[in-house]
Amino acid sequence: MKLKQTLLTLSVMAATVAPAFAGEVEVLHWWTSGGEAKSVAALKGMLEEQGHSWKDFAVAGGGGESAMTVLKTRAVSGNPPSAAQIKGHDIQEWGGLGFLTTLDDVAAEEKWDDNVPSMVTDIMKFNGEYVAVPVNVHRVNWLWANPAVFEKSGAQVPTTLDEFFVAAEKIKAAGFIPLAHGGQAWQDATVFEAIALDVLGSEDYVKAFVDLDMDVLGGEKMVEVFAKFQKVHDYIDSNSPGRDWNVATSMVINGEAAMQIMGDWAKGEFTAAGKMPGKDYVCVPAPGTAGQFTHNVDSFAFFELDDKESQMAQKALAATILDKDFQEVFNLNKGSIPVRLDMDMSKFDQCALDSMATFKESATTGDLVPSMAHGMSTTSYAQGAIYDVVTNFFNDSSADPKEAASKLAKAVKAAM
Ligand code: GAL
């Protein structure tokens, strides 16, 4: 018995024995909701299995605005974390300031260029060198619906905005909240861009939010986007201001509300609550956007650090993020799809399979577009200008859509 125990202890020690260069990684992120926390715990666990230690630097707040503010303070005071959740255009901004370190050696060893689409790896490189690692691909233009609430209201899950308004009326009349929403700038922008994708179409969406084309930003179709966005406001509840996105998701989960327009991190909440897609909830493209895909690629950027142990731990973290086992477990919890194209998808549900199929298909039709609301389409300055106009408009019931479109163009111009 004693021997058995000793052997067991020894084998446990062997399994957890530290590598030659065991180090610590301090990782800044904003993944604090139920599904998000489970996802990030998988990364921590896999890193610790390799003998490194994980110092969690979580800054709550969906969309990451607070996290970015805290990160700036830490970096400017000369004490950056090892890695931080930095995405899209922000990677270029941090790279330009000289804070980031190259990961090219890990990338070459792990063959990232061969396994990740170039549309993603391009975002991860600064001056041609890897400074960040992608974790996943989120589809933002989703509608999450509670079928029981629809049934009780005698309504159909909508596929177009017109159908959305018809369904929302019935749901409201039946005493439910049609659309669960959190009144925070990034959530307002998430709903706004879904409507823009439908009304403008992919080509003009790109002209507006990638090219910052003044004619489209201030044009007639943008007026229509604002008008429809204003109408959506009739179907949210009066407690929405300030509400966190995952609280809004829980309203759909518990049948208080019928729908939420949100990226597929919402699925992480349904999953964490033990809900089954196709039964307890359904995922359909945001109204009018079937075949279109607004992408939001989460990634970690790596900071330049001095000591060798920390550098080794950083490299282990970078390699782990694109490891196939990690990609599977992380994305199952997170609601996103793996960023590697050579994955076995057999454990993924229909929402993820639909997302993967649309991701691949939309890349060939021009319907794969970057999310403005999630920092993929333009600089943080232009994004901030759009946020302001969109949020102020949404919160003012007497605001004029025509004026809003012209304000949008002016605000973006000033931020360029
Ligand atoms: C997004 C992020 C997602 C999700 C969401 C809510 O910006 O890309 O991974 O976590 O915020 O926190």
Side-chain angles (χ1 to χ4, degrees):
M1 182 67 196
K2 212 157 179 215
L3 178 69
K4 237 178 159 182
Q5 243 170 18
T6 315
L7 284 175
L8 192 70
T9 317
L10 278 175
S11 68
V12 169
M13 278 170 67
T16 54
V17 81
F21 286 105
E24 178 185 86
V25 284
E26 185 180 20
V27 185
L28 178 137
H29 62 90
W30 63 87
W31 287 333
T32 55
S33 77
E36 290 174 332
K38 270 179 90 176
S39 314
V40 82
L43 186 55
K44 176 177 188 262
M46 281 184 79
L47 198 79
E48 285 175 348
E49 270 170 27
Q50 298 167 54
H52 299 291
S53 52
W54 171 283
K55 190 169 172 195
D56 204 47
F57 186 2
V59 182
E65 245 182 300
S66 312
M68 287 304 104
T69 309
V70 174
L71 177 63
K72 278 173 201 154
T73 315
R74 276 282 304 267
V76 167
S77 65
N79 180 27
S82 312
Q85 196 186 342
I86 300 177
K87 326 179 279 186
H89 275 258
D90 280 0
I91 296 172
Q92 302 308 313
E93 288 167 27
W94 283 98
L97 292 169
F99 278 110
L100 305 182
T101 189
T102 178
L103 300 166
D104 271 1
D105 48 351
V106 189
E109 202 167 307
E110 302 287 327
K111 302 195 170 51
W112 291 352
D113 279 336
D114 298 342
N115 298 314
V116 181
S118 60
M119 163 251 144
V120 173
T121 56
D122 286 350
I123 308 173
M124 304 300 137
K125 294 177 185 175
F126 175 71
N127 277 346
E129 287 185 89
Y130 276 100
V131 291
V133 193
V135 193
N136 61 358
V137 179
H138 272 301
R139 185 184 190 184
V140 187
N141 58 315
W142 279 117
L143 178 100
W144 306 91
N146 182 322
V149 177
F150 272 85
E151 211 183 299
K152 286 181 202 152
S153 312
Q156 300 284 328
V157 176
T159 59
T160 63
L161 267 177
D162 287 343
E163 287 177 15
F164 172 89
F165 292 123
V166 172
E169 269 306 318
K170 289 187 179 164
I171 294 160
K172 203 173 172 178
F176 299 100
I177 298 165
L179 189 69
H181 182 68
Q184 297 175 348
W186 73 272
Q187 294 185 64
D188 295 344
T190 299
V191 174
F192 176 80
E193 78 173 14
I195 298 172
L197 185 65
D198 172 28
V199 175
L200 301 177
S202 303
E203 204 179 320
D204 276 358
Y205 173 100
V206 170
K207 277 191 192 156
F209 302 126
V210 179
D211 306 338
L212 307 179
D213 180 322
M214 292 301 137
D215 292 339
V216 181
L217 283 168
E220 273 310 308
K221 272 161 98 185
M222 193 61 84
V223 177
E224 196 187 325
V225 173
F226 276 106
K228 295 211 158 128
F229 184 48
Q230 191 164 47
K231 200 167 165 198
V232 165
H233 196 279
D234 295 345
Y235 301 105
I236 66 175
D237 67 311
S238 59
N239 289 327
S240 69
R243 178 188 287 141
D244 287 327
W245 68 273
N246 53 314
V247 175
T249 309
S250 71
M251 291 163 64
V252 180
I253 293 176
N254 67 30
E256 199 183 330
M259 305 175 265
Q260 183 182 23
I261 292 174
M262 187 48 67
D264 42 23
W265 45 93
K267 198 185 79 185
E269 299 307 295
F270 286 99
T271 307
K275 302 294 177 191
M276 298 299 288
K279 182 175 155 270
D280 305 313
Y281 69 97
V282 293
C283 57
V284 293
T289 69
Q292 293 170 292
F293 192 115
T294 318
H295 69 78
N296 174 19
V297 177
D298 281 313
S299 52
F300 285 96
F302 285 69
F303 283 81
E304 185 93 52
L305 300 178
D306 291 334
D307 76 286
K308 199 134 194 91
E309 281 76 22
S310 301
Q311 290 172 1
M312 294 308 286
Q314 273 183 320
K315 289 185 200 302
L317 176 64
T320 305
I321 290 172
L322 277 173
D323 174 271
K324 280 185 163 183
D325 290 341
F326 171 72
Q327 282 284 311
E328 181 179 79
V329 62
F330 177 88
N331 286 298
L332 283 171
N333 284 316
K334 190 71 169 69
S336 38
I337 53 172
V339 72
R340 292 182 69 118
L341 294 176
D342 57 346
M343 294 281 299
D344 171 6
M345 292 292 288
S346 57
K347 288 200 184 134
F348 285 83
D349 62 23
Q350 199 54 45
C351 302
L353 297 178
D354 287 354
S355 178
M356 185 61 105
T358 311
F359 179 61
K360 289 183 177 164
E361 174 66 20
S362 62
T364 67
T365 58
D367 288 314
L368 177 61
V369 302
S371 167
M372 173 278 292
H374 296 277
M376 297 285 126
S377 77
T378 185
T379 63
S380 58
Y381 311 105
Q383 184 201 27
I386 300 171
Y387 268 26
D388 284 350
V389 176
V390 165
T391 287
N392 289 337
F393 174 82
F394 201 54
N395 287 305
D396 173 3
S397 56
S398 62
D400 175 29
K402 210 174 153 95
E403 247 171 56
S406 102
K407 268 192 198 158
L408 184 68
K410 283 195 195 117
V412 169
K413 191 160 192 189
M416 278 166 86

